[in-house]
Amino acid sequence: MYTQAMDTMREEGGQPALRTAEEAALQQRFDNRIDAGDFIEAKDWMPDNYRKTLLRQISQHAHSEIVGMLPEGNWITRAPTLKRKAILLAKVQDEGGHGLYLYAAAETLGQSRDQMLDSLHSGKAKYSSIFNYPTLTWADVGTIGWLVDGAAIMNQVPICRCSYAPYARAMIRICREESFHQRQGYDSLLAMMQNGTEAQKAMVQDAVNRWWWPCLMMFGPPDDQSPNSAQGMRWGIKRVSNDTLRQKFVDATVQQAQVLGVSLPDPDLRWNEATQHWDFGTIDWSEFWRVVGGEGPCNRERLAMRVAAWEEGEWVREAALAHSRKQARKEKAA
Ligand code: FAQ
């Protein structure tokens, strides 16, 4: 039912192989559970393409979290006060934690963390386009919290109801932390806009101008150009479409920008009384695909930093393994 187009019916000599009665029954049971809004657990039977789609999305999501540590991590040593430094340190550590929950959720689908990281480091795997933009000033850090985490929450809250339970459970924890991230970013920008110098206010406006359009791109291509959406929605992996989430984000953010006292860099942004939504201008999708294809302003730098961190961390992984082997030997001997 859900999987006619994508299920992996094994092809022999160009002909789809017939399913066994047992496989057909398992498929039917799975479809019924999805229809009923049931959650699927790691040990449950699932179609191969459901597993592959989840692995693709969850591993990309995990990679986004750990690559997402880099643009802000860049500012830890330069945070303007002890308080802002402590907040930023905690936030960046949280993103690392989110990556770990998500890699663990993906591992339940049968792929090892080493395999996933290998795909990231060799440039095969995707991660969110947004993390290929530079953090030029301190205001970029606040803007990432406000807009990037704001967009991430908008996208991630519906994933708390994803049909794959280990992913849904990880997302519940992650979303709680992301809402703190969004608030701290807004608070940091508000401090500069309310009490800052003219130069600091201009710095905030400049950061918002640079991050606004890339944030709208975070939600992915328009619905009619999103190859994975239809199946993802039928399987209950995606609950809300890319365009709907993007519109919700714009609607929520316009008012926050007004309170902050910044303008959003879109001359076509206006309230539409008929739709009760904010209309916005055309997104430059050619820029999005360039960044996704590896040609963004910081793609090479981000990947090189990840690879260096992995190589430099080898001795830590070796030491941890040696320690766990030693512990196991001790337990056996006791
Ligand atoms: N960047 O058919 P669709 C965060 C790819 S976490 C790069 O619409 P789908 C926390 C897509 O993979 C941010 N690639 O795909 C944080 C597909 O390629 P594929 C990450 C993108 O999966 C904050 C192709 O385009 N969040 O920010 C992007 O149905 C601050 C066609 O697209 C998640 O990953 C993009 N923006 O929908 C951390 C949430 N958009 O795989 C640090 C979970 C699309 O066929 C600091 N993921 N593509 O080769 C999702 O909800 C979905 O995967 C979407 C894409 C909505 C991202």
Side-chain angles (χ1 to χ4, degrees):
M1 195 155 68
Y2 289 109
T3 46
Q4 280 168 358
M6 290 186 67
D7 203 355
T8 53
M9 289 173 68
R10 286 163 291 281
E11 302 237 335
E12 283 163 15
Q15 296 294 315
L18 285 177
R19 288 195 190 153
T20 64
E22 191 190 359
E23 272 180 322
L26 286 167
Q27 176 74 58
Q28 187 61 57
R29 188 156 174 270
F30 173 86
D31 290 347
N32 292 344
R33 290 184 65 187
I34 295 283
D35 272 344
D38 218 355
F39 287 101
I40 308 298
E41 291 289 348
K43 62 183 178 357
D44 296 339
W45 185 89
M46 61 186 81
D48 279 353
N49 276 311
Y50 177 78
R51 185 185 297 278
K52 278 188 199 149
T53 299
L54 281 166
L55 259 175
R56 178 185 64 80
Q57 179 168 325
I58 305 172
S59 61
Q60 284 181 9
H61 193 167
H63 300 328
S64 303
E65 298 282 356
I66 62 164
V67 177
M69 297 167 77
L70 301 174
E72 288 171 288
N74 202 17
W75 277 88
I76 291 172
T77 53
R78 291 176 285 165
T81 64
L82 181 60
K83 178 181 131 186
R84 295 289 173 201
K85 190 185 183 99
I87 294 172
L88 185 57
L89 262 174
K91 179 186 191 291
V92 172
Q93 281 177 354
D94 281 355
E95 310 297 0
H98 297 173
L100 296 185
Y101 306 154
L102 289 164
Y103 284 122
E107 279 179 311
T108 65
L109 293 158
Q111 199 171 83
S112 74
R113 194 173 305 184
D114 281 355
Q115 280 173 301
M116 289 183 263
L117 286 171
D118 191 49
S119 297
L120 173 66
H121 297 154
S122 63
K124 263 190 279 168
K126 289 193 170 72
Y127 59 85
S128 183
S129 49
I130 195 73
F131 301 118
N132 293 306
Y133 290 86
T135 38
L136 303 179
T137 69
W138 171 250
D140 288 30
V141 173
T143 307
I144 290 182
W146 174 38
L147 295 180
V148 176
D149 283 280
I153 297 169
M154 197 56 88
N155 165 272
Q156 290 174 180
V157 166
I159 308 177
C160 297
R161 292 181 289 113
C162 165
S163 60
Y164 187 57
Y167 190 23
R169 282 192 289 268
M171 289 317 304
I172 292 170
R173 236 172 125 167
I174 291 174
C175 283
R176 286 196 188 123
E177 293 176 356
E178 297 288 25
S179 58
F180 152 77
H181 294 172
Q182 200 255 359
R183 275 161 175 249
Q184 66 78 37
Y186 194 74
D187 176 73
S188 150
L189 297 182
L190 203 57
M192 285 189 271
M193 291 305 290
Q194 290 185 339
N195 307 318
T197 61
E198 286 311 310
Q200 285 169 324
K201 289 179 194 171
M203 187 169 76
V204 174
Q205 183 63 60
D206 173 63
V208 172
N209 291 348
R210 285 181 288 105
W211 287 91
W212 175 249
W213 290 104
C215 281
L216 296 192
M217 295 173 196
M218 274 178 79
F219 295 93
D223 292 350
D224 58 4
Q225 290 158 46
S226 158
N228 302 302
S229 275
Q231 187 64 61
M233 301 274 281
R234 278 189 225 113
W235 273 328
I237 295 172
K238 259 176 132 156
R239 294 285 182 189
V240 185
S241 84
N242 298 359
D243 284 333
T244 306
L245 288 170
R246 193 170 5 253
Q247 183 66 60
K248 279 166 79 103
F249 173 72
V250 173
D251 290 347
T253 310
V254 170
Q255 207 189 358
Q256 293 168 8
Q258 285 163 353
V259 173
L260 198 55
V262 292
S263 61
L264 296 172
D266 180 357
D268 296 322
L269 191 69
R270 59 182 61 86
W271 177 249
N272 183 329
E273 197 55 42
T275 60
Q276 294 287 300
H277 291 294
W278 285 89
D279 289 340
F280 53 93
T282 310
I283 295 172
D284 180 357
W285 289 110
S286 63
E287 173 179 326
F288 170 76
W289 289 116
R290 249 193 336 272
V291 176
V292 172
E295 296 301 323
C298 301
N299 293 57
R300 285 180 189 78
E301 183 187 330
R302 300 287 184 246
L303 210 54
M305 283 282 277
R306 271 302 320 155
V307 171
W310 178 253
E311 285 170 357
E312 284 161 21
E314 192 171 355
W315 69 271
V316 180
R317 293 191 297 280
E318 273 173 14
L321 280 172
H323 178 71
S324 79
R325 277 194 294 269
K326 202 162 130 191
Q327 290 295 105
R329 269 201 307 276
K330 268 191 195 163
E331 273 165 34
K332 215 169 154 194

